Amino acid sequence: MTARKPADTTTTVLANDPDDRKGRLKSIGGSQSDHWNNTLANQAMQALWLTNSSAEERGTQLSATVAALMGIAPKDELEGMMAAQLVAAHNAAMECYRRAMIGKQSFEGWRENLTQANKLSRTYAALVEALNRHRGKGQQKVTVEHVHVHAGGQAVVGMVAAPGQPGGGDARKLEEQPHAKQVAHAP
């Protein structure tokens, strides 16, 4: 019996490589690291279904994938990852929709493709929502500073609707409701 010497599996990783940190590809993956941006673009392109595409179509699909990443315009690595997943989810959903429309297939095949397309579409919508929240486009925040209420005046904090409008009410009916809280006037 002979003993083998294990192969050297050591890998050196260089962090903060000045040549990598130029950000030439930042519009694709959102990072200053061009290695990151290139890796992310490759991951998004590898998620494409290219089996039935001609060489010309493949080139167009790969270019379109990079264009989509750039169109989403990730500002950081997290947005880059979400952008790549958006592209992948969209392409997978569209492939499932395409397969569902193939004629002369079983009902089960049709249903399964539409089910998967539906799940992918929901995933896509959740990713868009997460991206918008990350970018601060979710719920709006209103900060009110300096509110002055003069003698005899009233201040209301919250949503206000006029009577007769959706959500509005009639102040007379408020007094008739035993569970309604009344706000006392404070000078």
Side-chain angles (χ1 to χ4, degrees):
M1 176 146 80
T2 59
R4 284 193 206 174
K5 183 179 176 185
D8 184 15
T9 58
T10 305
T11 303
T12 303
V13 177
L14 182 60
N16 285 330
D17 178 4
D19 289 332
D20 175 46
R21 308 289 297 164
K22 295 188 178 175
R24 293 179 297 248
L25 303 174
K26 184 173 178 155
S27 62
I28 295 172
S31 178
Q32 281 299 117
S33 167
D34 288 329
H35 293 318
W36 165 263
N37 297 322
N38 192 44
T39 299
L40 189 79
N42 281 315
Q43 289 172 339
M45 289 186 284
Q46 290 169 0
L48 294 175
W49 179 262
L50 302 172
T51 303
N52 298 325
S53 301
S54 68
E56 184 180 325
E57 289 171 329
R58 277 193 293 276
T60 301
Q61 288 171 298
L62 295 172
S63 295
T65 298
V66 174
L69 291 172
M70 294 172 72
I72 295 170
K75 304 289 185 258
D76 56 32
E77 292 82 358
L78 183 62
E79 288 189 15
M81 288 185 278
M82 283 192 262
Q85 289 178 30
L86 280 166
V87 171
H90 168 75
N91 285 315
M94 295 308 292
E95 178 62 19
C96 288
Y97 283 124
R98 184 193 70 78
R99 289 179 182 198
M101 297 303 118
I102 293 174
K104 297 183 182 177
Q105 67 174 309
S106 68
F107 175 77
E108 290 78 19
W110 173 80
R111 184 180 60 203
E112 182 60 26
N113 281 302
L114 285 181
T115 298
Q116 293 304 315
N118 183 32
K119 289 177 181 180
L120 287 160
S121 296
R122 289 172 188 260
T123 298
Y124 182 89
L127 283 165
V128 169
E129 186 178 327
L131 181 60
N132 284 335
R133 258 194 329 271
H134 177 73
R135 289 180 170 175
K137 293 181 182 176
Q139 258 188 335
Q140 294 182 352
K141 178 182 174 185
V142 177
T143 303
V144 179
E145 299 176 16
H146 308 297
V147 175
H148 300 282
V149 180
H150 298 283
Q154 295 179 342
V156 177
V157 177
M159 294 178 53
V160 178
Q165 297 294 321
D170 187 348
R172 291 171 287 174
K173 288 186 179 178
L174 181 64
E175 293 170 3
E176 298 170 7
Q177 298 177 5
H179 61 276
K181 293 183 181 177
Q182 300 228 355
V183 178
H185 172 69

